Amino acid sequence: MSATQTQTHGPHSLAFRVMRLCKPSFHVDPPLRIDPFDLLAGEDFSDDPSSASLFRRHVSSADAVDSDLSYRNRFLLNHPTDPIGLSGLLLLPQSFGAIYLGETFCSYISVNNSSTSEVRDVTIKAEIQTERQRILLLDTSKSPVESIRTGGRYDFIVEHDVKELGAHTLVCSALYNDADGERKYLPQFFKFVVANPLSVRTKVRVVKVGSRISTSLFIPPCH
């Protein structure tokens, strides 16, 4: 999502930050892991049950004593699920990604005060603008935010069912009083494109059988 900002009357105390809310993905740990038993024992080591059992107990006791949080054992297989590479951690999207027609656009918006003074009477609006219409998602005109202190923020979530293709613009604006009592207006624009989830391609094949010509039309759906 690209962002543009229009400033009026000098620098602003506030700034918008927008993050699209999506389902997190699993964090995959790529390093190859090994079992220490395979390194220190040969293929015929397991033929002797007593030796194999003794070695397994020795490795288990060593792992139990070594309880530090260093990375020296990061390549060892400590659990049967380790070869999968899933660490159990969830990873939030690092980019806006693609949005398709029919999806619900959900975004987390934060208004940050990065100045050294408090701002008051903050009116916030969020709108989705397309080629055909302008849709209001949030308007605090009737109940403005009383104040946003230095280093503070005001957060909210907006949702919109995407029903049009092409360019969309998320328009975020704030009207506020700065430390000098001056009324300032801050608009910021975040642009994204809505794509079609399906496309249809046609292919015509002409087959000649003897003196007769037949035509076949194939319509394979494509994602």
Side-chain angles (χ1 to χ4, degrees), residues 3 82 114 147 171 189 192 203:
D82 287 344
S114 56
S147 66
V171 184
F189 307 90
F192 60 95
K203 181 187 295 184

Side-chain angles (χ1 to χ4, degrees), residues 49-169:
S50 60
S51 299
S53 177
L54 180 62
F55 180 78
R56 289 288 186 183
R57 287 200 301 270
H58 176 71
V59 172
S60 299
S61 62
D63 291 340
V65 173
D66 185 15
S67 59
D68 63 355
L69 300 178
S70 66
Y71 285 91
R72 61 181 178 177
N73 295 329
R74 65 185 182 277
F75 295 114
L76 301 183
L77 285 172
N78 298 316
H79 192 273
T81 60
D82 287 344
I84 302 177
L86 297 179
S87 62
L89 300 177
L90 294 178
L91 184 66
L92 291 175
Q94 302 300 304
S95 61
F96 179 77
I99 184 168
Y100 297 98
L101 185 68
E103 284 189 285
T104 298
F105 172 76
C106 186
S107 182
Y108 178 89
I109 303 177
S110 179
V111 188
N112 301 278
N113 182 3
S114 56
S115 68
T116 57
S117 57
E118 183 182 44
V119 298
R120 304 187 63 84
D121 298 329
V122 185
T123 300
I124 301 171
K125 286 186 179 181
E127 302 171 294
I128 286 286
Q129 183 177 354
T130 67
E131 296 179 355
R132 299 180 180 179
Q133 57 183 336
R134 195 180 184 106
I135 304 168
L136 182 63
L137 304 179
L138 176 75
D139 187 359
T140 65
S141 299
K142 295 182 179 180
S143 56
V145 180
E146 183 177 352
S147 66
I148 301 179
R149 59 180 176 79
T150 300
R153 67 180 190 271
Y154 178 80
D155 304 329
F156 57 95
I157 295 175
V158 295
E159 292 185 352
H160 170 64
D161 293 331
V162 180
K163 299 179 180 179
E164 294 183 39
L165 293 172
H168 285 60
T169 303

Side-chain angles (χ1 to χ4, degrees), residues 3-81:
T4 58
Q5 176 176 328
T6 302
Q7 293 189 348
T8 57
H9 301 92
H12 283 279
S13 302
L14 300 180
F16 286 95
R17 298 290 182 268
V18 175
M19 181 181 71
R20 183 185 174 192
L21 292 180
C22 301
K23 294 181 180 179
S25 58
F26 284 105
H27 174 68
V28 179
D29 191 11
L32 176 65
R33 298 190 178 190
I34 57 177
D35 192 335
F37 183 81
D38 296 334
L39 295 178
L40 302 179
E43 295 181 356
D44 56 348
F45 188 83
S46 298
D47 294 341
D48 186 356
S50 60
S51 299
S53 177
L54 180 62
F55 180 78
R56 289 288 186 183
R57 287 200 301 270
H58 176 71
V59 172
S60 299
S61 62
D63 291 340
V65 173
D66 185 15
S67 59
D68 63 355
L69 300 178
S70 66
Y71 285 91
R72 61 181 178 177
N73 295 329
R74 65 185 182 277
F75 295 114
L76 301 183
L77 285 172
N78 298 316
H79 192 273
T81 60

Side-chain angles (χ1 to χ4, degrees), residues 182-194:
E182 182 182 358
R183 195 68 171 166
K184 288 189 174 182
Y185 175 69
L186 167 68
Q188 280 188 252
F189 307 90
F190 302 88
K191 299 180 180 180
F192 60 95
V193 177
V194 176

